Amino acid sequence: MRRVPTGVTVVTTLKDGEPRGITVNSFASVSLDPPSLLVCVNREARSYLFISSSRIFCVNVLAGDQRRLADHFSGRVRERQFADVDYTVDTTGSPVLGGTIAHFDCALSHEYQVGSHSIFIGHVLACSARSGSPLGYFNGGFHDFGIHVE
Ligand SMILES: Cc1cc2nc3c(=O)[nH]c(=O)nc-3n(C[C@H](O)[C@H](O)[C@H](O)COP(=O)(O)O)c2cc1C
């Protein structure tokens, strides 16, 4: 898998008024009708129970200058993760991070347990795209893929 280049997302959710986020690169498009996507989350991650019980999540696609957020949401900060993070909300109430190049706000439609992880299928209720460059991940490190969209 180190040879598979991907983007980097932060999957956020809101459970009992508490926002939560996890850095995830196992993101893929699933279906156009209904608009659906997937992310795979380790069931040992603290964020797993937040997403499976709130049944809402937002996939935030990080921009090239957001490595700090990717680190922040990959286990560095355990409590009050959003204390210093700029965000708004869209349809579900899950955090929509500022400065990203896209977000997909979803209702959890299916969960499939496969080994250590769960595949969460999200029904996309709202989304938006912005100009910028994506943050890339390859061979265990963050990269600038040298691409830009208007
Ligand atoms: C670039 C990157 C991609 C990651 N992708 C995933 C992923 O797809 N699924 C997953 O469960 N964890 C993934 N992780 C690991 C989680 O972000 C990390 O284990 C996190 O600390 C677990 O969150 P928790 O705070 O909910 O326990 C990734 C980490 C990085 C840095």
Side-chain angles (χ1 to χ4, degrees), residues 20-39:
R20 182 84 210 170
I22 176 173
T23 300
V24 161
N25 70 341
S26 57
F27 164 81
S29 171
V30 171
S31 157
L32 188 59
D33 185 17
S36 305
L37 54 75
L38 70 79
V39 293

Side-chain angles (χ1 to χ4, degrees), residues 60-106:
N60 296 272
V61 183
L62 297 186
D65 61 359
Q66 294 186 307
R67 295 180 190 205
R68 189 187 66 77
L69 281 180
D71 283 336
H72 181 89
F73 287 105
S74 60
R76 293 275 167 90
V77 180
R78 290 170 177 260
E79 304 299 328
R80 301 185 66 245
Q81 279 184 312
F82 285 82
D84 297 315
V85 173
D86 168 43
Y87 71 94
T88 57
V89 296
D90 195 344
T91 301
T92 69
S94 304
V96 176
L97 303 181
T100 64
I101 60 168
H103 79 269
F104 303 86
D105 199 16
C106 302

Side-chain angles (χ1 to χ4, degrees), residues 22 26 39-46 48-49 111-120:
I22 176 173
S26 57
V39 293
C40 302
V41 174
N42 191 324
R43 287 196 304 286
E44 291 193 351
R46 278 157 294 170
Y48 165 75
L49 279 179
E111 177 183 346
Y112 301 102
Q113 297 194 352
V114 182
S116 55
H117 283 52
S118 274
I119 304 170
F120 288 129

